[in-house]
Amino acid sequence: GAGVSQSPSNKVTEKGKDVELRCDPISGHTALYWYRQSLGQGLEFLIYFQGNSAPDKSGLPSDRFSAERTGGSVSTLTIQRTQQEDSAVYLCASSTDRGGQPQHFGDGTRLSIL
Amino acid sequence: SQQGEEDPQALSIQEGENATMNCSYKTSINNLQWYRQNSGRGLVHLILIRSNEREKHSGRLRVTLDTSKKSSSLLITASRAADTASYFCATAGNTGFQKLVFGTGTRLLVSP
């Protein structure tokens, strides 16, 4: 597709379970970002990938959160031992990262922890 | 918090009226971007203004930037019901990549 694709669109799981969220960026975009948006709030930066460079993980809230990007394309955000405070919309974005370029967002995964 | 602040938090107007949203931020920036978010959807990029620019236009949108006051405004002219959405400003610092710091957003309701 032409845009950023995220799956699943909705995920409901029990506290303590692990979850994996997937992001397919726009083809050719070298930069990929994960954000978290809590209800009625702005976006909180989580992690950034740029090409083959080491990712910037400075926004990950705890060691239960991890992400990888395989082959410079698809990315997976994993949350282990989920807690209720992890409930949020997780948004992925990609860009050409040529400096000063807009980010293109997927529609997000709405994660609900019971 | 790293987030900037936007005001108002919510704005309700009639179709045809203009809507103005303001954004303040805390650190020096490379550029400032405005995004729109419809309910249940991702963000859509509207306009980007660089730190050396003062004003920019795109269709019915007008953005201003005052780096001395660390503030920006988004004006939507002749609003339409379809403009109903949340609007976020986001700043990019001078760190060499585009980690955006988002404001808390303005919820705009345009009534027919």
Side-chain angles (χ1 to χ4, degrees), chain A residues 79-100:
Chain A
I79 309 173
Q80 296 178 310
R81 304 181 303 282
T82 52
Q83 303 294 313
Q84 288 188 331
E85 61 263 28
D86 299 334
S87 295
V89 177
Y90 290 82
L91 290 159
C92 174
S94 69
S95 76
T96 59
D97 200 40
R98 286 183 287 111

mmCIF file of all heavy atoms in Angstrom, chain A residues 79-100:
data_model
loop_
_atom_site.group_PDB
_atom_site.id
_atom_site.type_symbol
_atom_site.label_atom_id
_atom_site.label_comp_id
_atom_site.label_asym_id
_atom_site.label_seq_id
_atom_site.Cartn_x
_atom_site.Cartn_y
_atom_site.Cartn_z
ATOM 1 N N ILE A 79 5.887 -5.597 23.892
ATOM 2 C CA ILE A 79 5.706 -5.234 25.295
ATOM 3 C C ILE A 79 5.554 -6.528 26.071
ATOM 4 O O ILE A 79 4.635 -7.311 25.809
ATOM 5 C CB ILE A 79 4.471 -4.335 25.512
ATOM 6 C CG1 ILE A 79 4.482 -3.141 24.555
ATOM 7 C CG2 ILE A 79 4.431 -3.846 26.964
ATOM 8 C CD1 ILE A 79 3.216 -2.301 24.601
ATOM 9 N N GLN A 80 6.461 -6.750 27.001
ATOM 10 C CA GLN A 80 6.408 -7.968 27.816
ATOM 11 C C GLN A 80 5.692 -7.691 29.137
ATOM 12 O O GLN A 80 5.726 -6.566 29.651
ATOM 13 C CB GLN A 80 7.832 -8.459 28.090
ATOM 14 C CG GLN A 80 8.592 -8.881 26.841
ATOM 15 C CD GLN A 80 10.016 -9.309 27.167
ATOM 16 O OE1 GLN A 80 10.748 -8.599 27.848
ATOM 17 N NE2 GLN A 80 10.396 -10.481 26.681
ATOM 18 N N ARG A 81 5.046 -8.710 29.632
ATOM 19 C CA ARG A 81 4.399 -8.640 30.959
ATOM 20 C C ARG A 81 3.569 -7.356 31.061
ATOM 21 O O ARG A 81 3.783 -6.503 31.930
ATOM 22 C CB ARG A 81 5.443 -8.705 32.063
ATOM 23 C CG ARG A 81 6.341 -9.940 31.980
ATOM 24 C CD ARG A 81 7.358 -9.977 33.123
ATOM 25 N NE ARG A 81 8.199 -8.792 33.186
ATOM 26 C CZ ARG A 81 9.239 -8.544 32.408
ATOM 27 N NH1 ARG A 81 9.561 -9.417 31.453
ATOM 28 N NH2 ARG A 81 9.956 -7.439 32.549
ATOM 29 N N THR A 82 2.617 -7.225 30.167
ATOM 30 C CA THR A 82 1.855 -5.981 30.068
ATOM 31 C C THR A 82 1.195 -5.589 31.384
ATOM 32 O O THR A 82 0.776 -6.442 32.175
ATOM 33 C CB THR A 82 0.779 -6.094 28.982
ATOM 34 O OG1 THR A 82 -0.012 -7.273 29.208
ATOM 35 C CG2 THR A 82 1.391 -6.137 27.599
ATOM 36 N N GLN A 83 1.113 -4.284 31.581
ATOM 37 C CA GLN A 83 0.458 -3.689 32.745
ATOM 38 C C GLN A 83 -0.690 -2.819 32.250
ATOM 39 O O GLN A 83 -0.711 -2.391 31.092
ATOM 40 C CB GLN A 83 1.451 -2.838 33.533
ATOM 41 C CG GLN A 83 2.685 -3.587 33.989
ATOM 42 C CD GLN A 83 2.351 -4.670 35.000
ATOM 43 O OE1 GLN A 83 1.607 -4.427 35.951
ATOM 44 N NE2 GLN A 83 2.872 -5.875 34.799
ATOM 45 N N GLN A 84 -1.613 -2.501 33.138
ATOM 46 C CA GLN A 84 -2.770 -1.697 32.731
ATOM 47 C C GLN A 84 -2.359 -0.322 32.225
ATOM 48 O O GLN A 84 -3.000 0.220 31.315
ATOM 49 C CB GLN A 84 -3.772 -1.587 33.884
ATOM 50 C CG GLN A 84 -4.512 -2.886 34.144
ATOM 51 C CD GLN A 84 -5.640 -2.739 35.145
ATOM 52 O OE1 GLN A 84 -5.576 -1.894 36.027
ATOM 53 N NE2 GLN A 84 -6.650 -3.575 35.006
ATOM 54 N N GLU A 85 -1.275 0.226 32.770
ATOM 55 C CA GLU A 85 -0.834 1.551 32.323
ATOM 56 C C GLU A 85 -0.256 1.541 30.910
ATOM 57 O O GLU A 85 0.033 2.601 30.340
ATOM 58 C CB GLU A 85 0.193 2.154 33.294
ATOM 59 C CG GLU A 85 1.460 1.340 33.455
ATOM 60 C CD GLU A 85 1.432 0.449 34.669
ATOM 61 O OE1 GLU A 85 0.332 0.026 35.098
ATOM 62 O OE2 GLU A 85 2.526 0.156 35.208
ATOM 63 N N ASP A 86 -0.082 0.329 30.346
ATOM 64 C CA ASP A 86 0.390 0.239 28.958
ATOM 65 C C ASP A 86 -0.750 0.480 27.970
ATOM 66 O O ASP A 86 -0.504 0.619 26.761
ATOM 67 C CB ASP A 86 1.000 -1.138 28.677
ATOM 68 C CG ASP A 86 2.195 -1.448 29.551
ATOM 69 O OD1 ASP A 86 2.874 -0.499 30.012
ATOM 70 O OD2 ASP A 86 2.458 -2.651 29.792
ATOM 71 N N SER A 87 -1.970 0.512 28.455
ATOM 72 C CA SER A 87 -3.114 0.751 27.573
ATOM 73 C C SER A 87 -2.980 2.123 26.918
ATOM 74 O O SER A 87 -2.826 3.135 27.602
ATOM 75 C CB SER A 87 -4.421 0.689 28.369
ATOM 76 O OG SER A 87 -4.644 -0.601 28.891
ATOM 77 N N ALA A 88 -3.017 2.134 25.596
ATOM 78 C CA ALA A 88 -2.825 3.370 24.832
ATOM 79 C C ALA A 88 -2.952 3.019 23.354
ATOM 80 O O ALA A 88 -3.117 1.859 22.976
ATOM 81 C CB ALA A 88 -1.448 3.977 25.104
ATOM 82 N N VAL A 89 -2.843 4.041 22.522
ATOM 83 C CA VAL A 89 -2.724 3.831 21.081
ATOM 84 C C VAL A 89 -1.245 3.950 20.726
ATOM 85 O O VAL A 89 -0.591 4.935 21.089
ATOM 86 C CB VAL A 89 -3.549 4.855 20.284
ATOM 87 C CG1 VAL A 89 -3.329 4.649 18.785
ATOM 88 C CG2 VAL A 89 -5.026 4.725 20.624
ATOM 89 N N TYR A 90 -0.734 2.960 20.047
ATOM 90 C CA TYR A 90 0.672 2.950 19.643
ATOM 91 C C TYR A 90 0.739 3.292 18.158
ATOM 92 O O TYR A 90 0.179 2.588 17.318
ATOM 93 C CB TYR A 90 1.309 1.598 19.946
ATOM 94 C CG TYR A 90 1.466 1.401 21.437
ATOM 95 C CD1 TYR A 90 0.397 0.963 22.217
ATOM 96 C CD2 TYR A 90 2.663 1.702 22.076
ATOM 97 C CE1 TYR A 90 0.518 0.833 23.595
ATOM 98 C CE2 TYR A 90 2.798 1.572 23.448
ATOM 99 C CZ TYR A 90 1.715 1.148 24.201
ATOM 100 O OH TYR A 90 1.847 1.022 25.561
ATOM 101 N N LEU A 91 1.405 4.383 17.859
ATOM 102 C CA LEU A 91 1.468 4.899 16.500
ATOM 103 C C LEU A 91 2.868 4.739 15.929
ATOM 104 O O LEU A 91 3.865 4.977 16.612
ATOM 105 C CB LEU A 91 1.080 6.384 16.482
ATOM 106 C CG LEU A 91 -0.391 6.678 16.768
ATOM 107 C CD1 LEU A 91 -0.571 8.109 17.240
ATOM 108 C CD2 LEU A 91 -1.229 6.440 15.531
ATOM 109 N N CYS A 92 2.912 4.369 14.683
ATOM 110 C CA CYS A 92 4.165 4.235 13.962
ATOM 111 C C CYS A 92 4.198 5.295 12.862
ATOM 112 O O CYS A 92 3.158 5.627 12.274
ATOM 113 C CB CYS A 92 4.267 2.834 13.357
ATOM 114 S SG CYS A 92 5.690 2.557 12.294
ATOM 115 N N ALA A 93 5.368 5.826 12.595
ATOM 116 C CA ALA A 93 5.527 6.807 11.524
ATOM 117 C C ALA A 93 6.816 6.516 10.774
ATOM 118 O O ALA A 93 7.752 5.938 11.324
ATOM 119 C CB ALA A 93 5.552 8.228 12.084
ATOM 120 N N SER A 94 6.868 6.934 9.519
ATOM 121 C CA SER A 94 8.105 6.812 8.754
ATOM 122 C C SER A 94 8.349 8.109 7.997
ATOM 123 O O SER A 94 7.430 8.904 7.771
ATOM 124 C CB SER A 94 8.054 5.621 7.790
ATOM 125 O OG SER A 94 7.129 5.838 6.738
ATOM 126 N N SER A 95 9.595 8.307 7.630
ATOM 127 C CA SER A 95 9.950 9.496 6.861
ATOM 128 C C SER A 95 11.211 9.212 6.075
ATOM 129 O O SER A 95 11.903 8.223 6.312
ATOM 130 C CB SER A 95 10.167 10.707 7.786
ATOM 131 O OG SER A 95 11.417 10.616 8.457
ATOM 132 N N THR A 96 11.514 10.108 5.146
ATOM 133 C CA THR A 96 12.730 9.973 4.360
ATOM 134 C C THR A 96 13.945 10.403 5.154
ATOM 135 O O THR A 96 15.048 10.074 4.819
ATOM 136 C CB THR A 96 12.649 10.836 3.093
ATOM 137 O OG1 THR A 96 12.472 12.205 3.469
ATOM 138 C CG2 THR A 96 11.499 10.390 2.210
ATOM 139 N N ASP A 97 13.709 11.158 6.249
ATOM 140 C CA ASP A 97 14.768 11.587 7.152
ATOM 141 C C ASP A 97 15.925 12.267 6.426
ATOM 142 O O ASP A 97 17.086 12.026 6.703
ATOM 143 C CB ASP A 97 15.308 10.406 7.961
ATOM 144 C CG ASP A 97 16.024 10.882 9.227
ATOM 145 O OD1 ASP A 97 15.527 11.826 9.847
ATOM 146 O OD2 ASP A 97 17.070 10.315 9.560
ATOM 147 N N ARG A 98 15.550 13.110 5.462
ATOM 148 C CA ARG A 98 16.582 13.925 4.818
ATOM 149 C C ARG A 98 16.725 15.250 5.545
ATOM 150 O O ARG A 98 17.325 16.158 5.062
ATOM 151 C CB ARG A 98 16.226 14.166 3.347
ATOM 152 C CG ARG A 98 16.425 12.948 2.477
ATOM 153 C CD ARG A 98 16.143 13.246 1.023
ATOM 154 N NE ARG A 98 14.740 13.397 0.755
ATOM 155 C CZ ARG A 98 14.167 14.537 0.423
ATOM 156 N NH1 ARG A 98 14.876 15.640 0.333
ATOM 157 N NH2 ARG A 98 12.876 14.599 0.173
ATOM 158 N N GLY A 99 16.163 15.323 6.719
ATOM 159 C CA GLY A 99 16.240 16.543 7.497
ATOM 160 C C GLY A 99 15.059 17.436 7.202
ATOM 161 O O GLY A 99 14.840 17.830 6.059
ATOM 162 N N GLY A 100 14.296 17.737 8.220
ATOM 163 C CA GLY A 100 13.185 18.659 8.053
ATOM 164 C C GLY A 100 12.055 18.116 7.223
ATOM 165 O O GLY A 100 11.340 18.874 6.577
#
